[in-house]
Amino acid sequence: MNFNYIKYFYFIGIGGIGMSSLARYFHRTGKIVHGHDKNRTFLTKELEKEGILINYYDSIEILPEWVTSNKCLIIYTPAIPSNHKQWTFLKKHAKNIKKRSQILAIITKNETCIAIGGTHGKTTTSILLCHILYVSGVSFTAFLGGISENYNSNIILNGKKFFLVEADEFDHSFLYLYPNIACITSLDQDHIDIYPKKEDLKKAYINFSNKIKKPYKKIFLCKEDIDIFLEKNAIYYSITEKESYYSNYLHVEENKWYFDFHTPEEIWKSLPLPIPGKHNLKNITAALAISDYLKIDRKKIRKALSSFRGIKRRYSIHYQSKNKIYIDDYAHHPTEINALIDTIRESFPNKVILGIFQPHLFSRTKFFEDSFAESLGKLDILILLDIYPAREFPIYGVNSERILEKVKISYEHKEVSSISKVLEKIGKKNFDIILTIGAGNIDTLIFSIKEFMHKRYG
């Protein structure tokens, strides 16, 4: 598809993190961009500030008149329900319709593409790599799966030598990509509606690895977390074994974390760890390995690590006083929740943690029911919200009460709550740290909890 002949773009589900980056891309290249989403969020408000028109009602009457013209491209997300009125109308009458992942593939197909995939860690890895490229003065464009705190955006337009993207396994989206350099950070089972068996996920990633092309034609794999065999083009990285690239000697100096990074030729001593946790050390090692492979100057990489400010909703500290802390995180898989709580326990020992968790998707909750219960049992106090359905319909018998019963926390310290009553409930709890966890609309609580903490604790 030649985008030169497309004047208008209409996004169904424009508020999604991947959809919004594409909307921003086309808007910044001079196209007319409109969209629809069911909720007005922080992200959609930002898009509106940038001049993108968004409607929030599922009505055909409010569609722009140009949506059915040859000069319009409809871009949709697979998360849109089949009975959506606008979507039903556009499927029947629009001339050009593509999935988000198809558009990303078209943009990058004839470019030098770096694709970061994996169940966990791909957003942290890609955003850190993006920051390294930017600080180092490399020409690149990045489509990110999170909001960079350094640039307050999920897209960076800084030239076209490289295109950096996240390889999303949901709905087999990443199989449209043909990257030159790829990375797989982890292979935990997730998206149970798409990959009912672990073998299904492995096969998809093997197919993804087979799409890597010249020049470069390299794939970086996390030694600890990848249990599939890939061809000789693989380069391994690790935080426990001496691979081509590995990090070790994680240590503290004057209350700051540092580590050593090993390349095939040398050791980079005492690099600053910009975000805490061993799981993040893996992601940072991946970004450093790719950076070194691209021959980026070590001094510039160190400078980028020192100036990296993180990612919104990834271990985001919103309030910190002498005695109280509020942290928000996007973790929505048991492995991610374990890593998050373990990191907090290590960083703030002997503190009472109140966790507020919103399960995401009925299928994921059902499949990981026991694992969620075990992970959440690491908290001291738990407020469990109702399941956020996203694109799914309810599954009979799958609910938050069922998980709560299995969580090994005393009954007086655990409960299920609606999102509207959370502030009322936390006001009655004794805690040192509040932790909001989840991928649904739990982020709508951030401002209110921050305000609560400031009013009560100064």
Side-chain angles (χ1 to χ4, degrees):
M1 172 172 281
N2 190 337
F3 295 126
N4 291 330
Y5 298 106
I6 302 295
K7 181 179 180 180
Y8 307 100
F9 289 80
Y10 191 81
F11 287 77
I12 299 285
I14 196 169
I17 195 70
M19 292 283 279
S20 58
S21 66
L22 285 175
R24 281 171 157 158
Y25 173 78
F26 288 116
H27 178 68
R28 293 178 190 181
T29 54
K31 304 295 185 178
I32 296 173
V33 178
H34 289 205
H36 164 82
D37 210 278
K38 64 179 180 179
N39 296 313
R40 197 174 190 204
T41 64
F42 170 81
L43 188 48
T44 61
K45 290 176 186 177
E46 290 296 304
L47 296 178
E48 289 175 312
K49 287 178 186 177
E50 294 170 24
I52 295 173
L53 296 181
I54 303 174
N55 63 72
Y56 299 94
Y57 301 98
D58 184 16
S59 167
I60 298 170
E61 287 72 23
I62 59 178
L63 286 169
E65 59 181 11
W66 40 256
V67 292
T68 58
S69 76
N70 288 320
K71 292 186 177 180
C72 176
L73 175 60
I74 309 299
I75 302 176
Y76 72 98
T77 168
I80 294 296
S82 59
N83 61 351
H84 192 275
K85 293 177 183 176
Q86 286 191 16
W87 178 223
T88 301
F89 173 83
L90 291 170
K91 280 190 290 185
K92 185 175 181 180
H93 298 286
K95 304 297 188 299
N96 306 300
I97 301 176
K98 294 287 184 184
K99 252 198 287 195
R100 178 198 66 86
S101 51
Q102 291 174 306
I103 297 302
L104 190 60
I106 292 169
I107 292 171
T108 61
K109 186 173 183 180
N110 296 317
E111 308 291 346
T112 302
C113 177
I114 304 170
I116 311 296
T119 312
H120 324 294
K122 56 182 174 286
T123 298
T124 300
T125 302
S126 60
I127 291 183
L128 176 57
L129 179 57
C130 166
H131 184 56
I132 292 171
L133 295 175
Y134 191 91
V135 170
S136 303
V138 175
S139 167
F140 76 101
T141 292
F143 295 90
L144 305 170
I147 304 297
S148 163
E149 292 282 11
N150 287 85
Y151 310 104
N152 194 35
S153 183
N154 54 351
I155 185 168
I156 305 296
L157 302 176
N158 194 49
K160 294 186 176 181
K161 181 178 180 181
F162 296 104
F163 277 70
L164 173 61
V165 303
E166 288 195 27
D168 184 5
E169 74 274 14
F170 171 66
D171 197 38
H172 299 93
S173 293
F174 62 165
L175 297 183
Y176 288 106
L177 296 171
Y178 288 87
N180 302 83
I181 296 172
C183 177
I184 303 177
T185 60
S186 56
L187 271 182
D188 261 354
Q189 195 169 1
D190 197 7
H191 298 302
I192 308 306
D193 51 337
I194 307 297
Y195 306 104
K197 298 178 181 179
K198 180 72 175 288
E199 287 304 313
D200 299 328
L201 181 67
K202 288 182 180 180
K203 287 177 183 177
Y205 270 99
I206 290 171
N207 289 338
F208 170 65
S209 70
N210 289 334
K211 292 177 176 289
I212 300 169
K213 65 185 182 183
K214 295 179 179 180
Y216 297 109
K217 198 174 183 181
K218 293 294 180 184
I219 184 163
F220 289 77
L221 305 172
C222 181
K223 184 66 173 182
E224 290 86 353
D225 296 324
I226 306 300
D227 59 351
I228 57 177
F229 173 78
L230 295 178
E231 57 181 273
K232 60 184 179 181
N233 293 318
I235 298 175
Y236 285 92
Y237 65 92
S238 176
I239 63 169
T240 61
E241 300 181 33
K242 294 181 179 180
E243 294 296 333
S244 298
Y245 292 95
Y246 67 98
S247 296
N248 65 0
Y249 191 45
L250 186 61
H251 59 286
V252 179
E253 297 176 14
E254 298 180 353
N255 296 320
K256 294 183 179 179
W257 288 91
Y258 295 87
F259 66 100
D260 292 348
F261 175 65
H262 300 252
T263 77
E265 287 83 30
E266 56 187 352
I267 304 174
W268 302 358
K269 292 280 190 179
S270 292
L271 293 177
L273 185 72
I275 38 180
K278 291 180 180 178
H279 60 300
N280 282 319
L281 182 58
K282 287 182 186 178
N283 303 327
I284 291 163
T285 302
L288 294 182
I290 296 170
S291 301
D292 180 71
Y293 179 75
L294 294 175
K295 302 187 185 307
I296 295 175
D297 182 79
R298 177 170 44 161
K299 291 180 180 178
K300 293 179 179 178
I301 293 175
R302 184 182 286 271
K303 181 180 178 182
L305 286 176
S306 298
S307 61
F308 186 63
R309 291 167 52 195
I311 305 141
K312 290 187 187 297
R313 301 222 62 223
R314 269 47 171 206
Y315 203 90
S316 299
I317 299 178
H318 290 285
Y319 176 88
Q320 187 166 8
S321 65
K322 185 177 180 180
N323 298 313
K324 304 291 181 183
I325 302 168
Y326 168 40
I327 299 172
D328 173 66
D329 197 277
Y330 187 72
H332 55 283
H333 185 284
T335 299
E336 296 166 348
I337 296 171
N338 284 331
L340 174 64
I341 297 173
D342 290 347
T343 299
I344 292 172
R345 292 288 186 200
E346 189 173 2
S347 302
F348 306 102
N350 304 316
K351 298 293 185 181
V352 176
I353 303 175
L354 162 60
I356 305 164
F357 175 58
Q358 182 183 49
H360 184 262
L361 295 175
F362 289 98
S363 59
R364 180 185 287 127
T365 305
K366 179 182 179 182
F367 188 86
F368 291 112
E369 183 177 279
D370 292 336
S371 298
F372 276 130
E374 185 177 350
S375 300
L376 297 170
K378 294 183 174 185
L379 299 165
D380 299 297
I381 308 169
L382 171 64
I383 297 176
L384 192 56
L385 303 184
D386 296 326
I387 297 169
Y388 187 79
R391 58 186 178 269
E392 293 184 338
F393 293 105
I395 297 174
Y396 179 76
V398 179
N399 52 55
S400 294
E401 285 81 3
R402 187 162 158 171
I403 298 175
L404 192 77
E405 285 293 320
K406 296 186 176 185
V407 176
K408 292 182 179 178
I409 296 176
S410 60
Y411 278 99
E412 64 269 23
H413 289 143
K414 64 179 182 179
E415 61 183 306
V416 172
S417 171
S418 64
I419 199 168
S420 62
K421 294 184 178 179
V422 166
L423 280 180
E424 175 188 332
K425 292 182 182 297
I426 65 176
K428 301 173 183 178
K429 309 293 185 185
N430 293 315
F431 59 86
D432 301 310
I433 298 172
I434 286 185
L435 179 59
T436 46
I437 319 167
N441 64 346
I442 191 171
D443 61 321
T444 59
L445 291 173
I446 293 173
F447 178 80
S448 299
I449 295 177
K450 282 171 63 177
E451 192 175 47
F452 165 82
M453 298 293 280
H454 280 288
K455 283 183 179 179
R456 177 165 289 195
Y457 304 110

